[in-house]
Amino acid sequence: MKPLKKVDIDIDEIRSFDVKEYVLKIISHWKLFVAMVVLGLIVAFFINSYKQRIYSLNSVINVTDEQNPLFTSSTNIAFNWGLPSEKVETIITILKSRTHNEKVVKELEYYIDYLQDGKFRMEDVYGKVPFKVELDTTAYQLLGVPIKLDFKEDDHVEVSVEFEEEEYTLINYETNQTKKEIVSDKNYSAEFTVFENLKTPFSSFKLRFNNLSNIPQGKTYYILFKGFDGTVKSFQNINVKSLTKGASMIELELKGPNKKKIEDYLNTTVEVLDQDQKNQKIQYAIKTKEYIDDVFKDAADNLQGIEQDLGNYKRTNNIYDISVEGQTLFMEVNELDKQRQQIQDRLNYFSNLQNYLTTHSDINDEVLVPVNISIEDANINKSIAELVELTKNKKYLEQTVKPNYPTLKTLQDKIEITKNVVLENLSNLQSETQNNLSNVKNRIGSYNSRLLKLPKKEQGLIALQRNYGLTSANYEYLKQKQYEAGTAIAANVSDVKVLDKAKDVGQGAISPNVLFNYLVAIMLSFGFPFVYILIKEALNNKILTVEEIEKLYDIPVLGVVGSGKLDNYLAVFNKPKSSLAESFRALRSNIQFLFKKAEGSKTIVVTSSVSGEGKTLCSINMASVFAMSDKKTILLGMDLRKPKLHDDFNVTNETGIVNYLIGQKELHEVIQPSQIPNLNVITSGPIPPNPSELIISDQTAEMMKVLKEEYDYIIIDTPPVGLVADAIELFKYSDAVMYVIRQNYTQKGMPKMIDDKYKSGEVKNISYVFNDFSLKGGYGYGYGYGYGYGYGGYGYGKYGNGYHSNEEKLPWFKKIFKRK
């Protein structure tokens, strides 16, 4: 017969999921959990100790349009227009830009690292060193290799470098250029006084001590020069964000291993931003003042020349005063001249501004400066100033962001809109101003005709006085604007207000998160074993508990034989007081309920699914318990293919059942006595070529008939039913069948065939015996059919170190560390 194929068990056949069983299985692996927790805590401790501490500091600023209360919308000198509405986003972009961070890095010289040897790595000791490196800006410095400064006594310092490569790189921070040099001495060392220039073949710098009375002695520091561009890039990861949407408050956050370094960088980046914004804000006023200063000088010189011409004319023509009529006409026409000049200047400025806005895409504040033009329309003033500021911000962003950056696109759109608004307002204003100019010219023409009626000398004097009046008015106007521009520059108010400076107030490290790492270690220490157990149980197709047998099959469980250690299979005879012996005595009592008749000989067939499940051991010990209870018993070795009984009883297997069945021997000739009283044994004998035919022969029936007449109990050790059909053929001679299932060995599908036969009524009086049962593997939680102790580790041919009748009782704490 072909071997029995593996049969899958339908999940519907399992009545319920035993939570208690799985919980106890998990608890039974407590040693694994303890070991994993200890290992996890050790790993977490190592990570928490080894990983570099990272700190985080922040600063909060407020960005608003600060107006100087001394200026109004008609002042015209920069300053009162503020920044665009996208100010907050622009400031955020500036703070993260390369240009801005380059200024901060240069200011703080963060391309120089101050280091000391730490437990696991070189530690950044910026802010803790008693000196500062002052570079020789004309010299090249060693890039990326630590320079060791070993401070000696008597104000000396040893400078040393260990080169690992054949060449090294030098950098000049003034030009940001690098070059390569060949190493001439891989272990360079030189000694200097701490006050001189420490000039080596690869560096040149001085040490500036914070306190000359505190020059270190016996201490070692390292100086590391880093690449300028790389340093700037590392600080561009500063986290800058608006605290709330639409609000003007901005939070700056920076992380790093040195809190003092973070604190200085955050505060300095705000200071640099503040200064840049101040400079940008008054740029219009500075340009105006520079232009006014030049024009004012020309106006002063021109006024002085006119004064001289006027004086000369009076002396030459001996005329020092004009008539009453001339005086009246002069005053009126002089006022009209001033109006005409102002209106004409305004028209010229409007025309130039309109032409400039139409022909230029970028706005230059130098062209837009209205030096001596007072534009009454506040909207145009505001739009022009806004246009200038928008263009400045656009140019600044173009240096730091890509063309498709959203803020840049928004600025470009707003510039175009503002430019169109200015052009439309200028057009309207030009028409109005042109009308005013025409009216003034008409009035001047009327007065000029009246002036022609005056004497010639008086006409000349009035003409000079009119010119002098215009020049003097322009001079006074420029003087006023010069004062306004200077005042605007001096009264500059910053738009950046620091609400919360960065400060080290004892903040703890954000990384590693010590508590979190320990919690994760504990969770994983429990999680991994739990997953391992679930996967192990899910993939395990072996029968592990009595409860599984009861859930999967209808055949009842007769009893349980526990696991233990044996010298051989004669456990009941050799150790009658052992727990194993009690297990078989319990089976002897339970099997009585399977016998239909109370009197007469009883035949018990012992079988299993496959070899190795313990049917031979059960056969031997069941025969032993019956024989030791003064019952005449015989044990038959009907496993003709794989004889075993002779090994444990120390009898010969030269003749046996096979010899009887083929007619070579009589039955009494193959019966052999054993060392156990009342127990005889018939071994299998030589392995035949046709065991199945011999078992179903009439000779077998005759043998069973004779043995039933002579013995109280007949125990038949059969071959496995899952491999051959020999055992099933012997069921007809049995009064009870013991089907052996071994814990963590028998697969769940193996007993299904015999269970199906039991359901169909083909097999009766059959029960399962659960063999090699142990709680150590977490398999179940006890069972009431027998004792949970017995044999184990016998290996079917290899025996243990012996089983003691009086088991040693160990304290619980010794059992924890006891090993099998």
Side-chain angles (χ1 to χ4, degrees):
M1 179 180 290
K2 294 181 179 179
L4 181 67
K5 294 183 179 179
K6 178 180 176 181
V7 180
D8 294 327
I9 301 299
D10 191 344
I11 193 66
D12 294 333
E13 296 181 10
I14 303 178
R15 295 193 295 271
S16 64
F17 177 77
D18 197 330
V19 177
K20 182 178 179 182
E21 178 181 349
Y22 273 86
V23 170
L24 289 174
K25 285 179 181 179
I26 292 173
I27 294 175
S28 68
H29 290 81
W30 66 270
K31 291 182 181 179
L32 176 61
F33 283 96
V34 171
M36 288 299 296
V37 168
V38 172
L39 179 62
L41 292 177
I42 291 174
V43 172
F45 175 78
F46 178 77
I47 291 175
N48 289 333
S49 301
Y50 176 77
K51 194 173 181 182
Q52 189 174 41
R53 296 287 187 271
I54 301 297
Y55 301 91
S56 175
L57 297 182
N58 64 347
S59 176
V60 179
I61 62 174
N62 187 45
V63 182
T64 55
D65 288 331
E66 289 293 340
Q67 302 287 338
N68 190 310
L70 297 177
F71 295 93
T72 64
S73 61
S74 62
T75 303
N76 292 335
I77 305 297
F79 221 84
N80 52 315
W81 302 304
L83 293 172
S85 58
E86 297 84 2
K87 181 190 306 180
V88 171
E89 190 170 353
T90 302
I91 292 295
I92 291 174
T93 305
I94 290 173
L95 287 170
K96 300 183 74 171
S97 68
R98 167 167 287 279
T99 303
H100 174 79
N101 284 278
E102 281 180 351
K103 296 178 182 178
V104 182
V105 170
K106 284 181 180 178
E107 176 75 18
L108 295 170
E109 294 184 340
Y110 270 9
Y111 42 78
I112 305 175
D113 274 352
Y114 300 86
L115 308 172
Q116 257 189 327
D117 285 322
K119 187 175 181 180
F120 298 105
R121 67 188 65 82
M122 283 190 177
E123 300 292 345
D124 189 342
V125 290
Y126 171 87
K128 300 176 183 178
V129 290
F131 60 88
K132 183 180 179 181
V133 171
E134 184 179 289
L135 295 178
D136 180 358
T137 56
T138 62
Y140 279 80
Q141 312 295 337
L142 179 62
L143 181 64
V145 180
I147 300 175
K148 183 178 181 181
L149 303 179
D150 193 3
F151 288 90
K152 309 290 185 179
E153 296 182 355
D154 300 328
D155 296 337
H156 280 72
V157 59
E158 182 183 0
V159 179
S160 60
V161 176
E162 293 183 4
F163 294 97
E164 296 181 357
E165 304 294 335
E166 295 297 329
E167 63 178 12
Y168 55 88
T169 304
L170 298 174
I171 184 171
N172 184 289
Y173 289 110
E174 187 72 19
T175 61
N176 198 26
Q177 293 181 342
T178 60
K179 64 179 182 178
K180 297 281 187 178
E181 295 287 347
I182 304 298
V183 175
S184 59
D185 185 359
K186 284 199 170 185
N187 294 294
Y188 174 86
S189 179
E191 190 166 315
F192 304 86
T193 65
V194 294
F195 303 108
E196 66 178 308
N197 184 30
L198 308 184
K199 187 173 181 61
T200 68
F202 42 79
S203 64
S204 179
F205 57 88
K206 290 183 179 180
L207 301 179
R208 296 300 181 190
F209 293 93
N210 305 330
N211 187 350
L212 292 177
S213 62
N214 191 27
I215 297 176
Q217 293 184 357
K219 291 187 177 181
T220 301
Y221 296 95
Y222 294 88
I223 303 300
L224 179 65
F225 297 109
K226 301 185 298 184
F228 180 77
D229 293 336
T231 304
V232 172
K233 187 175 182 180
S234 68
F235 282 101
Q236 280 186 271
N237 65 1
I238 183 173
N239 184 19
V240 186
K241 62 181 179 180
S242 177
L243 285 180
T244 55
K245 189 174 182 180
S248 59
M249 288 184 291
I250 299 175
E251 181 185 42
L252 294 81
E253 182 188 23
L254 189 61
K255 301 174 183 178
N258 187 302
K259 287 195 281 187
K260 178 61 177 174
K261 204 168 191 177
I262 302 171
E263 176 185 333
D264 288 352
Y265 195 89
L266 288 175
N267 293 332
T268 304
T269 196
V270 173
E271 291 172 4
V272 171
L273 172 69
D274 182 52
Q275 189 59 47
D276 286 349
Q277 291 300 305
K278 281 183 180 179
N279 294 338
Q280 181 181 348
K281 189 174 182 182
I282 62 173
Q283 195 66 32
Y284 184 81
I286 292 174
K287 297 292 184 182
T288 300
K289 189 175 185 303
E290 290 175 354
Y291 186 81
I292 288 176
D293 289 343
D294 293 337
V295 175
F296 182 76
K297 185 177 182 302
D298 294 338
D301 295 339
N302 190 25
L303 182 62
Q304 186 178 7
I306 293 174
E307 284 180 344
Q308 292 176 354
D309 292 343
L310 181 61
N312 293 333
Y313 184 85
K314 287 181 177 181
R315 287 191 296 270
T316 302
N317 294 281
N318 196 25
I319 181 171
Y320 294 95
D321 202 356
I322 56 178
S323 63
V324 175
E325 183 183 3
Q327 185 70 28
T328 302
L329 291 173
F330 169 74
M331 292 178 63
E332 292 179 354
V333 77
N334 186 53
E335 185 63 29
L336 290 174
D337 284 339
K338 291 180 181 179
Q339 292 181 20
R340 184 187 63 180
Q341 184 64 41
Q342 289 178 357
I343 294 173
Q344 187 62 54
D345 289 343
R346 187 178 295 112
L347 278 174
N348 292 337
Y349 176 71
F350 291 162
S351 178
N352 292 335
L353 179 59
Q354 188 177 38
N355 180 62
Y356 180 81
L357 292 176
T358 306
T359 58
H360 290 74
S361 59
D362 289 335
I363 309 303
N364 190 329
D365 57 325
E366 294 182 20
V367 177
L368 297 179
V369 174
V371 178
N372 56 353
I373 302 301
S374 178
I375 303 177
E376 291 81 3
D377 193 333
N379 291 328
I380 291 185
N381 286 333
K382 184 177 179 181
S383 297
I384 292 173
E386 185 176 358
L387 199 57
V388 172
E389 293 299 328
L390 286 171
T391 305
K392 288 180 180 178
N393 289 329
K394 172 175 168 286
K395 289 181 178 179
Y396 193 92
L397 286 177
E398 285 175 340
Q399 298 175 0
T400 57
V401 300
K402 295 181 179 180
N404 60 350
Y405 189 70
T407 303
L408 183 58
K409 285 188 172 182
T410 303
L411 281 175
Q412 292 170 341
D413 294 339
K414 191 162 186 178
I415 287 172
E416 193 63 29
I417 293 172
T418 307
K419 185 189 294 185
N420 293 333
V421 170
V422 172
L423 289 173
E424 183 177 353
N425 290 337
L426 281 175
S427 178
N428 296 331
L429 198 58
Q430 276 181 307
S431 298
E432 182 182 347
T433 306
Q434 187 66 48
N435 292 332
N436 292 337
L437 180 61
S438 297
N439 293 333
V440 170
K441 284 182 176 181
N442 291 333
R443 293 175 63 189
I444 291 175
S446 175
Y447 280 105
N448 285 336
S449 62
R450 293 173 62 185
L451 286 172
L452 291 175
K453 297 177 181 180
L454 296 175
K456 292 293 184 179
K457 289 184 178 181
E458 192 172 347
Q459 290 182 25
L461 180 60
I462 290 174
L464 287 173
Q465 286 183 335
R466 286 176 65 182
N467 189 20
Y468 177 81
L470 288 173
T471 306
S472 176
N474 187 44
Y475 174 82
E476 292 297 330
Y477 183 83
L478 288 173
K479 188 174 182 180
Q480 175 63 27
K481 292 302 177 181
Q482 186 184 46
Y483 167 77
E484 290 179 0
T487 306
I489 294 171
N492 188 8
V493 181
S494 174
D495 290 336
V496 178
K497 301 295 182 184
V498 180
L499 302 182
D500 190 10
K501 290 186 68 174
K503 186 177 181 181
D504 177 12
V505 290
Q507 298 94 328
I510 61 171
S511 176
N513 190 329
V514 177
L515 180 60
F516 177 77
N517 288 342
Y518 280 123
L519 290 176
V520 169
I522 293 174
M523 291 176 62
L524 293 179
S525 298
F526 280 101
F528 285 143
F530 184 76
V531 171
Y532 162 75
I533 293 170
L534 289 180
I535 294 176
K536 175 185 172 185
E537 294 300 322
L539 298 178
N540 190 356
N541 195 35
K542 309 293 179 57
I543 296 176
L544 304 177
T545 65
V546 173
E547 290 72 24
E548 287 182 350
I549 300 175
E550 293 180 331
K551 291 176 184 178
L552 296 173
Y553 310 113
D554 288 351
I555 297 175
V557 178
L558 182 66
V560 176
V561 177
S563 177
K565 295 181 179 180
L566 290 174
D567 295 324
N568 57 34
Y569 283 1
L570 300 177
V572 174
F573 178 71
N574 291 336
K575 295 179 175 52
K577 295 181 180 180
S578 65
S579 298
L580 179 59
E582 290 300 326
S583 298
F584 285 105
R585 292 190 185 99
L587 289 175
R588 180 187 63 188
S589 300
N590 294 339
I591 204 170
Q592 300 298 327
F593 297 100
L594 295 179
F595 297 143
K596 293 182 179 180
K597 54 184 179 179
E599 301 296 335
S601 177
K602 312 293 192 305
T603 301
I604 301 174
V605 172
V606 183
T607 188
S608 64
S609 300
V610 293
S611 177
E613 292 177 300
K615 61 179 180 56
T616 300
L617 179 134
C618 290
S619 300
I620 292 174
N621 286 283
M622 285 300 296
S624 299
V625 294
F626 283 119
M628 294 173 67
S629 60
D630 295 330
K631 300 295 183 180
K632 191 174 182 181
T633 308
I634 187 167
L635 177 60
L636 304 182
M638 295 298 290
D639 190 353
L640 305 184
R641 291 175 172 80
K642 195 174 181 181
K644 288 184 179 179
L645 293 180
H646 59 282
D647 291 331
D648 291 283
F649 286 101
N650 293 323
V651 295
T652 180
N653 193 41
E654 293 180 359
T655 59
I657 291 175
V658 173
N659 301 94
Y660 167 74
L661 294 179
I662 62 177
Q664 289 183 351
K665 299 286 185 180
E666 295 295 328
L667 184 58
H668 68 275
E669 291 180 308
V670 296
I671 297 175
Q672 301 183 64
S674 70
Q675 60 268 49
I676 302 174
N678 300 318
L679 177 60
N680 291 334
V681 178
I682 303 179
T683 61
S684 299
I687 299 175
N690 56 344
S692 297
E693 286 73 11
L694 293 178
I695 289 176
I696 63 176
S697 65
D698 294 337
Q699 198 71 7
T700 301
E702 181 64 25
M703 177 185 69
M704 295 303 300
K705 180 179 178 181
V706 173
L707 293 177
K708 283 178 177 290
E709 293 176 354
E710 295 185 13
Y711 293 92
D712 297 322
Y713 287 93
I714 302 171
I715 311 299
I716 304 176
D717 180 30
T718 69
V721 298
L723 301 178
V724 292
D726 300 357
I728 296 178
E729 298 295 337
L730 295 171
F731 282 6
K732 60 186 177 182
Y733 302 115
S734 68
D735 294 296
V737 177
M738 292 174 57
Y739 196 100
V740 179
I741 295 175
R742 185 179 178 187
Q743 185 186 52
N744 201 29
Y745 186 88
T746 304
Q747 296 186 11
K748 293 179 180 179
M750 290 179 176
K752 183 171 177 58
M753 183 194 72
I754 198 68
D755 193 68
D756 290 341
K757 291 182 177 294
Y758 176 78
K759 291 177 184 178
S760 63
E762 297 180 44
V763 176
K764 300 179 180 179
N765 291 343
I766 184 171
S767 295
Y768 291 129
V769 174
F770 196 39
N771 185 32
D772 198 18
F773 178 76
S774 172
L775 287 173
K776 291 189 295 183
Y779 308 129
Y781 44 86
Y783 199 76
Y785 286 105
Y787 295 90
Y789 304 90
Y791 77 99
Y794 50 82
Y796 298 95
K798 296 182 180 180
Y799 303 98
N801 295 323
Y803 188 96
H804 300 282
S805 297
N806 300 319
E807 288 94 346
E808 182 182 3
K809 303 296 182 182
L810 297 176
W812 65 271
F813 58 87
K814 288 189 177 181
K815 289 181 180 179
I816 292 178
F817 300 98
K818 185 178 179 182
R819 296 290 183 267
K820 184 175 178 181

